[in-house]
Structures are given as C-alpha cells and as structure tokens.
Amino acid sequence: MIRDQETLSLLLDTLSRFVQERLVPAENIVAETDEIPADIVAEMRELGLFGLCIPEEFGGLGLTMEEEVLAAFEIAKTSPAFRSLIGTNNGIGSQGLIVDGTEAQKNYYLPKLASGELIASFALTEPGSGSDAASLRTSAVRDGDDYVLNGTKRFITNAPEAGVYTVMARTNPEIKGAGGISAFIVEKGTAGLSLGKRDHKMGQKGAHTCDVIFDNCRVPAANIIGGKEGVGFKTAMKVLDKGRLHISAICVGAAERMLADALRYACERQQFGKPIAEFQLIQAMLADSKAEIYAARSMILDAARRRDNREDISTEASCCKLFASEMCGRVADRAVQIHGGAGYVSDYAIERFYRDVRLFRIYEGTTQIQQIVIARNMIRNLQV
Ligand code: COS
C-alpha cells in the first residue's frame, strides 16, 4: 500500500516535471541520433530513477508495486526509450536477484544497480527460443568451481550498455523443459562473452538491443542466482509477472500521451469550417480511447495492489498486459487517424509513437502468450 502519500506525490510531481521539461523536448534528438544524451542519463541517475523499485536497504527507493505503476504512468508519457534505459535495472534485470538471489549477491549487485553505476540486462530469448522460453539451448556445464556457458541470446534490451546480465541457461541437458534451467549472473568483460551488432529496430530509437554470445564463457558457480540449479525458469517467470504489470502501466502512460496529442490536434485542426473535435466521428475515437485507458489504468492498479498484498497475480498480470498493450495499439491507430495525413509524417510525435508502441504487444510475452497463461491458469484453478 501507499506508505507515505506526501512523499509519493512529491515523487510523481518531480517525475511529471522531468518528463515534460527535460524528456519531451529531447524526443526528436533521441530519435535522430539513436542515443539518449549523456546529460539526461546523468540527471536520471541523480533523480534515483535507476533504483525506483530496488529495496531501500540496497540504496533504491523501494517503491511498492502500486507506487511503481503510478510512476510508470508518468514516465511513459514520453518516448519509451527513456523508460527502457531505466527499465531493466528496476525490472527484469534486477528482479531475479531481488526475488531469488542470495544475500551476498543482493549486497554486491543491487546497490550498483540502484545508483545506475551498473546497467542490468535479462537474457532469456534465443534465436530458436522465444515464446517457448523453456526450450532454450544455451548450456552451462559445471567444471570445478565454474560453469562454462555456450549459446546465443537474442534481442537483449540494454545489452550494449549492460555491466551485468541475468542469463538463463540449461545446466541439466537430461531435462529438456523448465526444470533443467538455471539463472546466472554474468558480468561484462568475462572472457568468452561478446555482443552482436545493435539491432535495427522499427521504433524505440535510443533503446538498444543486440545478441549476447557465450563462447566457452567461464562463470563462477557462486554466480548461480540463489545458489540453486534447476529453478532458473521459475525465477524468470516470477520476474516476468512483475515485468508484465510494469509494461502494462507503460502502455497506459503512452496511450495517455498519444490521446493528449490527438485531442490537442483535433481542437486546433479546422475542416468544414470548424475544429474537427466537434465532429462526432472524431469524438467517438477520442471517447473510446479515454474509456479504454481508464479501464486499463483501473485494472493495473487493482493488480498492483493485489501484488503488494502478496497475492499470486500471474493471471492478473497477463490480463493487464493483454488488455493494456492491445488498447495502446488501438489508441495509437486512432491517434494517427485523427491526425490524418499529418499523422503519417514525422512532423508530429504520433508517427514515432505509432512505431514505438508496436513492441508492447510483443515483448515480455506476446498477446498470444498472455492468452495462454490466462486460460491455463483458469483451467488449472478449476481442477484443484
Ligand atoms: N511464477 C512461478 N512459477 C511459474 C510461473 C510463474 N508465473 N509460471 C510458470 N511457473 C512454473 C510452473 O509452475 C512450472 O513448474 P513445475 O514444473 O514445478 O510445475 C514451470 O514453471 C514450468 O511452467 P510451464 O509448464 O507453464 O512452462 P511452459 O514451458 O509450458 O510455458 C510459458 C510457459 C509459455 C507461459 C512461458 O514459456 C512464457 O511465459 N513464454 C513467454 C516468454 C516471454 O515472455 N518472453 C519474453 C522475452 S523476456 S523480456
């Protein structure tokens, strides 16, 4: 639950001001250069944005899930690239350690992630293993006090910037599915670890992904998360439960921004002698978007509160990701439609947002994977 309303309001106001005054004006330069300016990254560090969700005892702000989604609603009102840079340290890059790490692992890595000194990446996907994550083939073979990793990870967010990777690898080749997988912490600079070239993406310029390649990469056995073999897939799924809720909140923030842009345009743009906002067919698109954003926002807050109450929210997180990411796609489409021809050229931010938000329906589990998780859980609950 919200622990201190005054502090939270201050944080949300600060975030909102930072987004409007510093990030929105930098959107075009980020899109053009495919880089976030260094002074903005430094300000993000100073504001503590890399450690929003890392517990206070490790130097973070220790936001509850409810507080985190409220913060995410604000951060997402600008290019998703900014969120992406801080996203892995607060989410998929640190959560494996937070939920399943040993005390020594937490004490060593989390303060560096909270301060932004280190960027963390989450390496699950492979060339042959996307939605079927449990089929991953990267191997980790025990050799004395080390494991030797071989394999390739694909589309890894923040991999070019990362100082530390959470890597899911198969420690038991006899077990083909989830039970043979373990999670490792691998540091940048480890011999045998290399990066592919940066992916050329449809959108989200400024957010970088690439392959992470392990070629006889020797990792100390002490770096297995939680010190336990065979539970890495479960760690990854727990990380994704939280990640999916976070991405859902990002969808809401992005949709609010796109709708605000569309509304402003509709009120300014004159056709047939009056602002197009006065036409009911435009109003229908504005109203449907508003209602759907409100629905997504409400369900995300509900799921976040449930997680703070320690309920299992695997189903709810998938419901949120499914609804919010699809909603965001519909809002993007309507916002382009309201802008008309102007929505198809890059003079307006909506052209860029339309491409940027397409990823939300794909990463951290596609819409179809969310449907599978929801339905499976429903069936399972009926059977018990
Ligand atoms: N929390 C904790 N444990 C979980 C879990 C969760 N949310 N979801 C699954 N598990 C456990 C299961 O309980 C099972 O454990 P037992 O064998 O002890 O019963 C184990 O993990 C395997 O689960 P399951 O049998 O459901 O695995 P499947 O291979 O059938 O597939 C899906 C699971 C499809 C849901 C999973 O592979 C998935 O989420 N894929 C999408 C991956 C993804 O989101 N990629 C995005 C890139 S990462 S940014």
Side-chain angles (χ1 to χ4, degrees), residues 125 131 133-134 178 233-234 237 240-241 244 364-365 369 373 376:
T125 300
S131 289
F233 186 80
K234 287 185 187 175
M237 290 298 114
L240 285 174
D241 279 347
R244 288 167 182 169
E364 299 208 17
I369 285 296
V373 171
R376 266 197 197 178

Side-chain angles (χ1 to χ4, degrees), residues 25-57:
E27 287 175 1
N28 283 336
I29 191 82
V30 170
E32 279 160 23
T33 60
D34 196 15
E35 295 290 344
I36 300 176
D39 56 338
I40 290 186
V41 178
E43 283 176 62
M44 290 167 109
R45 277 203 190 96
E46 277 164 33
L47 283 170
L49 300 190
F50 286 91
L52 290 174
C53 311
I54 295 177
E56 284 154 293
E57 57 186 303

Side-chain angles (χ1 to χ4, degrees), residues 54-244:
I54 295 177
E56 284 154 293
E57 57 186 303
F58 303 111
L61 291 185
L63 297 190
T64 64
M65 193 72 223
E66 182 177 358
E67 292 165 341
E68 176 182 342
V69 298
L70 289 167
F73 292 154
E74 295 305 321
I75 294 167
K77 289 179 186 165
T78 183
S79 292
F82 298 113
R83 194 292 315 179
S84 188
L85 184 64
I86 60 163
T88 47
N89 278 32
N90 284 301
I92 55 177
S94 67
Q95 282 303 313
L97 285 166
I98 292 173
V99 294
D100 283 337
T102 63
E103 284 312 305
Q105 290 167 345
K106 291 183 199 180
N107 285 328
Y108 185 75
Y109 289 105
L110 292 180
K112 295 183 173 67
L113 298 181
S115 68
E117 176 192 335
L118 268 187
I119 300 285
S121 263
F122 178 76
L124 175 66
T125 300
E126 299 183 355
S129 161
S131 289
D132 185 7
S135 70
L136 66 83
R137 293 174 60 179
T138 294
S139 62
V141 177
R142 181 84 191 223
D143 183 28
D145 287 341
D146 300 326
Y147 284 87
V148 180
L149 270 62
N150 279 289
T152 298
K153 296 293 180 178
R154 182 139 295 172
F155 308 139
I156 305 306
T157 301
N158 287 338
E161 288 78 19
V164 63
Y165 303 82
T166 297
V167 182
M168 269 51 68
R170 192 168 299 284
T171 39
N172 187 344
E174 304 294 315
I175 305 177
K176 297 283 174 233
I181 297 169
S182 306
F184 291 88
I185 309 162
V186 185
E187 292 190 7
K188 174 186 171 181
T190 307
L193 169 71
S194 63
L195 301 179
K197 63 175 176 39
R198 271 196 210 169
D199 298 318
H200 187 73
K201 307 193 303 313
M202 174 193 283
Q204 299 215 6
K205 294 284 188 287
H208 307 139
T209 62
C210 70
D211 280 3
V212 180
I213 303 147
F214 302 94
D215 181 10
N216 287 323
C217 177
R218 202 167 264 280
V219 177
N223 283 21
I224 205 162
I225 291 185
K228 222 162 120 193
E229 273 194 15
V231 293
F233 186 80
K234 287 185 187 175
T235 300
M237 290 298 114
K238 285 186 256 178
V239 166
L240 285 174
D241 279 347
K242 180 172 185 289
R244 288 167 182 169

Side-chain angles (χ1 to χ4, degrees), residues 326-337:
E326 292 291 329
M327 172 283 288
C328 193
R330 288 191 294 273
V331 171
D333 194 65
R334 292 182 197 122
V336 170
Q337 199 68 13

